[in-house]
Amino acid sequence: MKLKNKISLLTISFIVAMLLILASVSTYSFRQLSLMTAKDHARSAAEVVRVSLTEAMINGVIDKRASFLQRLAEVEGLKDVRVLRALAVDRQFGHPDAIQPDGIEVQVMASATPYYSLTETGDLFRATIPYIASNQGMPNCLACHAVDNGSVLGVITITISIDALRHQALTILSSMFAVLATIALIFLMIFRRQMNPIIETAQGVQQVVHQARLGEFSGRIDDNGGDEVAQIARDLNRLMNYLQDRLGETCKDVASLMKYELPKEIDLIRATTDMVAGLVDVSKFKQEIEGDQTQLEIYHRIAFILSDHFKIGNFSIYETQTGQNRLIPIVVDKPGCTECRWCDPHILYQADSCRALRTGHIIDAIAQPRICSRFNGRIDDRMQHICLPVIHSGSVGCVVQLVFNGKHSRDIYRILPLILVYLRESSSVVEAKRLMSALRETTLRDAMTGLRNRRFLEEYASTLIIRSQRSPQKLSVMMMDLDKFKSVNDTYGHEAGDIVLKTLAEVLRNAVRDSDLVIRYGGEEFLVILQESGDDYSGNALAEKIRDAVAKKNIRIPSAVLHKTLSIGVAHYPQDSEDFWEVVKHADSALYQAKNQGRNRVIHWQADHDAAPEEAARMVETMVD
């Protein structure tokens, strides 16, 4: 119930209650007054009768009392008058009354106590009053009556109509109620007029506060007047102005930080708190990914944010391969799934066919249906998509594709700004991880040949050994060295020597599988690790193939065509030793033996062929030559 109605109801209830109480009190008072008035009338009439009867006895006309009583009963308001003598008077004077006393009259004669009461119908008042014999005053009752002092000489019963009194009381009560009702109405009007500013202010406060709870702070209250109520209105208006200005600025600042366009109608409190809470989550997310070691871990965290935080069930995360025009699916719908599902697989091998990657702009199929011809809508024609390119160092580093049912597009638009914040914050971290990975990659590769270097082998050896033990796999280790390479540098210069080394690296890459390792071990020394899966080792055969390919290779340098040979030492893991690095030493020892035996040959390490220290020194001198 509204405050205005409550006050009106309370005021009317109070006035009605006061009128009812006053009516009850007045009615009771008038009733008692009427009874007292009737009682006084009865006493007066009884006294007149007593005096008249006494005078009649003195004057000897007592036999005329019947006519007197009849005339007395004709007085207005008196309905009946009865006089009865006591038995003692009857015995003294004779002539007993023909009227028989009723029970009340008998009781009054016996008790000498007057009786006053309304009749059963309630419209008549009865008074039965005893006449008491007394020797005091004039005349002396005992002078005529032979009775004791205080004896009852008789009773008089008077019946009086109270209709006139009742009518008079009702008239007075009606007039009084009319006056009181008029006064109450005037009071109610004045009271409501005084209460209207308070009620209007309270209603205004209610409306403004309700709007503020919904995020709308433009509501204001009229502050007419100079009392405390007007001051409340002014203070509330100032508070609303402050909240609207400050909260609006804060909301705009946060939206600007998120690059989010605020709608015209917005709940400032909810929007601000949601955006701030989102930014706090983003900040925590960035702290977490900064501690991740690889880009893949970050992509998995992004997938977790999309699936668990934003409840997006279908999505794809693609990473671009710099300089290769390829897209690699990192996560599709859930971590661990990398099958291209929502796009034409053609984009994996021709990345520029992806519209988001090619343009660097958000591709929104809701706003522009069928904008992307590579979207695989055949899976479910109800599904729509939004592709978000993520910029790394000025170019698209990855593409995040959101796939959803078209009926949920409003929900997607609501969370899209926050998703973009997550992707922007992750962008710099992913790029840093990529640069660190590239930098680390450069430290593990030989800059001239593009092959892995010795440092890579030192870091990767433990992984290689563990994988070999789990498979189980065998390894063939081939240590190889160009014969008389120093003479090339001395004769044709270091540029020609570099061409020779690059040519050898190309021959080695073409001779092995992708799963095998080719390492520039140092200078003109190269190491090939062949991962064997069969029962026999094929390292010797591959080494011979490599040796033959190098011997037949025409190496063109600016001033000549060179032919070089290769010496190769081979050892097997774990056949020749269960220590990997020991196997590498064995392959190196076999290489020395190949050099010592005339170069351009393959030697498999044998335990009894290890050279003595003095012989090894001579072999080194020979190799330098």
Side-chain angles (χ1 to χ4, degrees):
M1 184 182 294
K2 294 184 177 180
L3 179 62
K4 185 175 183 180
N5 295 336
K6 284 183 178 180
I7 293 177
S8 298
L9 180 60
L10 180 63
T11 305
I12 294 174
S13 299
F14 175 76
I15 292 174
V16 170
M18 292 301 296
L19 289 176
L20 290 176
I21 293 173
L22 183 60
S24 300
V25 173
S26 300
T27 302
Y28 178 77
S29 299
F30 274 103
R31 180 177 183 278
Q32 294 301 111
L33 179 62
S34 299
L35 292 176
M36 291 177 62
T37 301
K39 186 176 180 180
D40 289 342
H41 287 175
R43 285 177 176 174
S44 298
E47 186 62 22
V48 169
V49 171
R50 186 186 70 79
V51 171
S52 297
L53 291 177
T54 301
E55 290 295 328
M57 289 181 65
I58 294 173
N59 296 323
V61 290
I62 191 63
D63 56 339
K64 304 293 184 181
R65 68 172 183 170
S67 61
F68 167 73
L69 294 176
Q70 184 177 358
R71 289 194 304 272
L72 185 63
E74 293 175 357
V75 175
E76 184 179 0
L78 292 179
K79 292 296 183 182
D80 187 27
V81 179
R82 285 167 30 111
V83 178
L84 290 91
R85 295 188 302 181
L87 293 176
V89 177
D90 284 339
R91 285 195 298 267
Q92 180 180 356
F93 295 101
H95 308 290
D97 288 329
I99 302 173
Q100 295 296 320
D102 57 19
I104 295 174
E105 291 167 335
V106 171
Q107 179 182 349
V108 170
M109 287 185 185
S111 63
T113 302
Y115 172 84
Y116 305 100
S117 178
L118 289 173
T119 61
E120 292 180 358
T121 58
D123 57 345
L124 298 175
F125 179 79
R126 172 178 175 166
T128 300
I129 302 171
Y131 288 142
I132 308 299
S134 173
N135 56 4
Q136 302 295 326
M138 290 297 292
N140 185 353
C141 296
L142 300 183
C144 297
H145 297 282
V147 294
D148 296 331
N149 186 35
S151 298
V152 175
L153 299 177
V155 296
I156 180 171
T157 297
I158 301 174
T159 302
I160 301 175
S161 173
I162 62 172
D163 285 340
L165 292 175
R166 180 181 295 170
H167 178 73
Q168 184 179 9
L170 289 175
T171 302
I172 294 174
L173 284 175
S174 299
S175 301
M176 183 176 65
F177 269 102
V179 172
L180 290 176
T182 302
I183 295 174
L185 182 60
I186 295 173
F187 170 78
L188 180 61
M189 294 173 62
I190 296 174
F191 180 76
R192 287 198 56 177
R193 185 173 182 179
Q194 295 298 320
M195 289 298 296
N196 275 340
I198 299 176
I199 295 173
E200 292 173 358
T201 301
Q203 291 174 341
V205 170
Q206 179 190 20
Q207 183 177 0
V208 170
V209 171
H210 177 71
Q211 292 177 350
R213 289 179 59 189
L214 300 177
E216 174 60 50
F217 297 92
S218 60
R220 298 296 182 268
I221 305 175
D222 294 335
D223 57 351
N224 298 327
D227 56 6
E228 293 84 349
V229 176
Q231 185 62 41
I232 291 174
R234 287 191 290 270
D235 290 342
L236 184 61
N237 290 340
R238 282 195 291 268
L239 177 60
M240 291 298 106
N241 289 332
Y242 179 82
L243 290 175
Q244 186 176 27
D245 294 341
R246 296 300 183 185
L247 197 56
E249 292 176 2
T250 302
C251 189
K252 290 179 181 178
D253 291 341
V254 176
S256 175
L257 183 63
M258 297 177 62
K259 297 182 180 179
Y260 175 57
E261 184 177 352
L262 292 172
K264 294 181 179 179
E265 300 294 334
I266 189 172
D267 184 340
L268 289 177
I269 292 180
R270 181 176 180 181
T272 304
T273 53
D274 288 348
M275 287 190 292
V276 170
L279 291 178
V280 171
D281 291 339
V282 171
S283 177
K284 293 179 181 178
F285 167 77
K286 188 173 183 180
Q287 292 177 358
E288 292 173 354
I289 63 176
E290 285 174 346
D292 290 337
Q293 188 173 7
T294 64
Q295 299 163 236
L296 184 60
E297 293 180 69
I298 298 176
Y299 289 135
H300 283 172
R301 288 191 186 274
I302 294 174
F304 176 80
I305 291 295
L306 294 176
S307 61
D308 287 30
H309 185 68
F310 291 112
K311 307 302 180 184
I312 299 176
N314 302 109
F315 58 88
S316 303
I317 301 177
Y318 298 97
E319 185 180 45
T320 61
Q321 287 296 99
T322 305
Q324 297 185 25
N325 196 26
R326 293 183 60 189
L327 278 176
I328 299 178
I330 304 298
V331 181
V332 178
D333 292 344
K334 59 182 178 180
C337 179
T338 58
E339 180 184 358
C340 183
R341 181 185 180 194
W342 297 104
C343 291
D344 187 339
H346 182 72
I347 67 170
L348 302 182
Y349 308 101
Q350 191 174 352
D352 56 6
S353 64
C354 173
R355 191 180 188 90
L357 185 144
R358 185 175 66 253
T359 64
H361 297 150
I362 296 175
I363 304 303
D364 186 351
I366 295 293
Q368 297 175 285
R370 304 185 183 278
I371 186 174
C372 181
S373 61
R374 297 300 181 183
F375 178 66
N376 188 7
R378 294 187 302 273
I379 297 177
D380 189 341
D381 57 5
R382 297 172 301 176
M383 304 304 280
Q384 296 291 348
H385 67 102
I386 295 178
C387 293
L388 311 173
V390 182
I391 307 300
H392 295 161
S393 298
S395 61
V396 178
C398 74
V399 176
V400 176
Q401 180 190 49
L402 310 179
V403 183
F404 50 90
N405 192 306
K407 66 181 182 181
H408 298 146
S409 57
R410 179 174 296 182
D411 296 331
I412 295 296
Y413 281 140
R414 180 176 56 83
I415 62 177
L416 186 60
L418 195 55
I419 293 177
L420 290 173
V421 174
Y422 274 96
L423 297 181
R424 284 196 296 269
E425 291 300 313
S426 68
S427 173
S428 59
V429 182
V430 170
E431 181 61 17
K433 301 297 181 184
R434 175 181 287 184
L435 292 175
M436 289 297 295
S437 178
L439 180 61
R440 184 173 182 275
E441 184 70 13
T442 60
T443 65
L444 300 178
R445 282 190 182 274
D446 176 57
M448 183 179 66
T449 63
L451 299 177
R452 300 289 186 179
N453 58 20
R454 184 170 181 171
R455 181 178 177 182
F456 170 80
L457 180 62
E458 292 172 351
E459 292 189 9
Y460 185 69
S462 58
T463 303
L464 186 65
I465 294 168
I466 292 173
R467 183 184 298 172
S468 176
Q469 292 172 348
R470 285 179 179 175
S471 298
Q473 277 185 342
K474 297 176 291 185
L475 304 175
S476 290
V477 179
M478 292 168 273
M479 186 74 74
M480 52 196 71
D481 186 272
L482 281 168
D483 296 329
K484 297 184 179 181
F485 177 73
K486 185 175 182 297
S487 62
V488 176
N489 287 331
D490 293 342
T491 304
Y492 300 102
H494 289 282
E495 182 179 354
D498 292 345
I499 294 175
V500 173
L501 293 176
K502 291 178 181 178
T503 302
L504 176 58
E506 181 181 357
V507 172
L508 295 178
R509 274 196 295 262
N510 293 334
V512 301
R513 301 164 299 184
D514 291 339
S515 59
D516 299 328
L517 296 177
V518 180
I519 297 170
R520 185 182 179 189
Y521 204 64
E524 69 274 18
E525 230 179 2
F526 292 80
L527 181 69
V528 175
I529 301 176
L530 184 65
Q531 301 186 49
E532 308 274 17
S533 58
D535 296 333
D536 299 327
Y537 290 93
S538 58
N540 293 338
L542 179 61
E544 184 61 36
K545 178 182 177 182
I546 292 173
R547 183 204 63 78
D548 183 64
V550 172
K552 294 178 180 179
K553 185 72 173 179
N554 294 327
I555 305 175
R556 298 184 181 276
I557 62 174
S559 58
V561 176
L562 302 179
H563 292 87
K564 300 299 296 180
T565 60
L566 194 65
S567 298
I568 304 174
V570 182
H572 301 308
Y573 172 86
Q575 175 181 305
D576 296 333
S577 174
E578 293 185 356
D579 185 340
F580 174 77
W581 292 108
E582 188 72 22
V583 172
V584 174
K585 289 181 181 180
H586 292 336
D588 193 41
S589 178
L591 171 61
Y592 288 144
Q593 294 176 24
K595 291 285 188 180
N596 191 41
Q597 293 180 18
R599 300 183 178 88
N600 191 24
R601 66 190 65 243
V602 176
I603 298 294
H604 176 234
W605 178 83
Q606 299 292 332
D608 55 350
H609 289 171
D610 271 345
E614 296 82 3
E615 185 179 356
R618 288 194 300 272
M619 290 168 60
V620 171
E621 293 176 0
T622 303
M623 291 171 65
V624 172
D625 294 338

